[in-house]
Amino acid sequence: MTEDLQEMGPVDYLIVEFPGNRMTGEGFPLLIDLVERGIIRIIDLVFVRKDTDGSVAALELREIGDEIDLTVFEGASSGVLDQSDLDEAGAALEPGNSAAVLVYENVWAAPLARALRRGGAQMVASGRIPVPALLASLDATETTTPPPSGPVAA
């Protein structure tokens, strides 16, 4: 098992909230495409619902609705996620909403990760910058940075 882990790329997770438990399914073909192209590997995909009393429960694929065919995701569970993980994901949700909790390996980065590990390197931190925060930062930079002058400016 440890040898298999040494071969893996970085592993991330996403919690995608669906207000009012409404899933259109629009993103699922794109997720399948990422898997088929070998960009990611789904380790776990669990759907949860947060009830109005604050309790969080896993949903069976058949409970999600007839308008979306999610059978392709049946069996996409390694068991990595337990109830405490689902409760933590639920803390990010508004009552009455549902979410997909996705744990995935970045297969595209596995060769780089293996090479770095062979060289003795190790990941000591990682994170994500939310797109709205990045856009706000870029907007702030544009409004406070004077335009370039001199021979570079056009």
Side-chain angles (χ1 to χ4, degrees), residues 6 8 10 109-123:
Q6 290 295 324
M8 289 180 69
L112 173 62
R114 287 191 297 269
L116 292 171
R117 283 191 285 266
R118 282 193 304 270
Q122 60 183 341
M123 175 86 71

Side-chain angles (χ1 to χ4, degrees), residues 13-149:
Y13 74 92
L14 294 173
I15 301 170
V16 181
E17 184 174 31
F18 301 100
N21 296 311
R22 288 183 308 276
M23 289 184 221
T24 65
E26 188 174 343
F28 295 127
L30 298 169
L31 180 61
I32 294 167
D33 181 59
L34 291 171
V35 170
E36 288 175 347
R37 291 190 294 141
I39 296 171
I40 67 166
R41 180 174 63 96
I42 296 174
I43 296 172
D44 259 316
L45 176 61
V46 177
F47 294 91
V48 297
R49 177 181 53 238
K50 184 173 186 175
D51 290 327
T52 54
D53 67 2
S55 63
V56 178
L59 296 171
E60 297 293 326
L61 291 179
R62 68 180 180 283
E63 293 179 86
I64 294 174
D66 296 332
E67 50 281 339
I68 304 171
D69 180 15
L70 298 175
T71 56
V72 70
F73 297 114
E74 285 180 356
S77 177
S78 68
V80 167
L81 296 172
D82 63 16
Q83 187 60 46
S84 67
D85 296 314
L86 301 183
D87 290 339
E88 190 173 329
L93 301 178
E94 291 294 322
N97 291 346
S98 59
V101 182
L102 174 66
V103 178
Y104 62 97
E105 175 191 3
N106 290 285
V107 176
W108 62 269
L112 173 62
R114 287 191 297 269
L116 292 171
R117 283 191 285 266
R118 282 193 304 270
Q122 60 183 341
M123 175 86 71
V124 294
S126 67
R128 293 232 183 258
I129 300 171
V131 172
L134 180 62
L135 293 173
S137 179
L138 290 172
D139 286 344
T141 301
E142 287 177 7
T143 58
T144 61
T145 305
S149 61

